[in-house]
């Protein structure tokens, strides 16, 4: 059995989609969800779905091996960042080479980097009058949004689309592609 651990900081709709996608899969399971936010909605989703969820604070994450040891204890095969806000520290990058992936709600290298998260990305896309946007699934290194790209998918933006509509189009692409990419990487 291959074991995924998802990191999420917010709503967790991608986490839920991934958990549902693999719920009947005999070869892949979501072993746990980790969050850096005690109030994150993803925690409610995990409770409803019966997936173990855990909170860690900044010092446990950045200045200790607590999270590393926790992930090793879970026999983690793949770490999936699904709306996770913090940069991944080097102890995790070194321990899980090419085993940490992220989804970004834009076509990197555009609209990436620190502070580019969720709706702030869609707002920037709208302000710049882009005619298309999309998703980027990529390996994670120590810099925000810079690891090797695994998959990109695009969607058109109508001039009348507001930020919420752009976000919805991007979420649809995320729900469609992210679980399939994870499945492929684990096969
Ligand atoms: C997703 O759109 C994801 O691509 C984005 O946060 C959203 C989380 O939604 N991630 C980033 O912006 C990373 N820089 P969710 O919590 O509903 O899955």
């Amino acid at each position: 059995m291959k074991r995924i651990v998802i990191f999420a900081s917010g709503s967790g709709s991608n986490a839920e989609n991934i958990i549902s996608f693999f719920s009947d899969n005999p070869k892949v399971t979501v072993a746990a969800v980790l969050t850096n936010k005690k109030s994150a909605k993803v925690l409610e989703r995990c409770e409803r779905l019966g997936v173990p969820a855990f909170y860690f604070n900044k010092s446990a994450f950045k200045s200790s091996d607590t999270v590393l040891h926790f992930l090793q204890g879970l026999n983690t095969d793949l770490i999936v960042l699904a709306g996770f806000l913090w940069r991944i520290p080097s102890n995790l990058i070194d321990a899980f080479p090419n085993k940490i992936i992220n989804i970004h709600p834009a076509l990197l290298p555009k609209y990436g980097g620190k502070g580019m998260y969720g709706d702030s990305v869609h707002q920037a896309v709208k302000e710049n009058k882009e005619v298309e946007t999309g998703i980027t699934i990529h390996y994670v290194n120590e810099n925000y949004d810079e690891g090797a790209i695994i998959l990109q998918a695009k969607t058109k933006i109508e001039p009348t689309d507001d930020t919420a509509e752009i976000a919805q189009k991007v979420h649809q692409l995320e729900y469609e592609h992210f679980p399939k990419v994870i499945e492929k990487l684990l096969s």
Side-chain angles (χ1 to χ4, degrees):
M1 183 71 98
K2 300 283 186 177
R3 296 167 63 79
I4 302 168
V5 175
I6 298 175
F7 283 32
S9 301
S11 165
S13 69
N14 275 286
E16 176 160 0
N17 183 53
I18 295 163
I19 291 165
S20 303
F21 183 89
F22 289 109
S23 61
D24 294 328
N25 189 313
K27 292 186 188 157
V28 179
T29 190
V30 176
V33 172
L34 269 56
T35 188
N36 62 325
K37 238 183 144 187
K38 273 185 186 158
S39 59
K41 192 176 161 197
V42 71
L43 293 171
E44 292 164 33
R45 295 184 194 263
C46 289
E47 197 171 340
R48 173 164 47 77
L49 297 163
V51 172
F54 303 91
Y55 161 82
F56 53 79
N57 64 24
K58 206 164 205 162
S59 66
F61 190 55
K62 301 219 161 164
S63 316
S64 82
D65 284 332
T66 309
V67 175
L68 170 63
H69 292 153
F70 190 75
L71 291 164
Q72 288 169 332
L74 287 170
N75 295 320
T76 306
D77 292 297
L78 188 70
I79 297 167
V80 173
L81 311 185
F84 184 67
L85 262 178
W86 289 347
R87 195 145 53 92
I88 302 300
S90 55
N91 64 336
L92 296 190
I93 305 274
D94 294 345
F96 293 96
N98 284 338
K99 288 183 175 174
I100 310 177
I101 63 169
N102 178 47
I103 191 159
H104 188 76
L107 298 168
L108 291 173
K110 282 178 148 187
Y111 305 106
K114 195 170 162 57
M116 289 308 249
Y117 174 83
D119 284 343
S120 60
V121 175
H122 307 309
Q123 259 157 29
V125 165
K126 173 78 187 158
E127 276 162 23
N128 286 338
K129 299 188 171 42
E130 297 283 359
V131 294
E132 64 177 16
T133 186
I135 60 166
T136 304
I137 299 170
H138 63 95
Y139 289 107
V140 171
N141 65 20
E142 280 160 50
N143 300 320
Y144 279 108
D145 303 324
E146 279 186 14
I149 290 173
I150 303 166
L151 175 136
Q152 289 190 307
K154 292 178 181 175
T155 182
K156 283 209 170 88
I157 301 174
E158 303 301 332
T160 50
D161 285 347
D162 61 19
T163 306
E165 284 161 328
I166 296 171
Q168 201 193 349
K169 286 180 175 180
V170 169
H171 268 302
Q172 284 314 315
L173 287 179
E174 294 184 330
Y175 301 152
E176 183 190 341
H177 291 284
F178 207 11
K180 288 185 201 159
V181 167
I182 293 167
E183 188 174 41
K184 211 165 163 187
L185 290 176
L186 289 172
S187 66

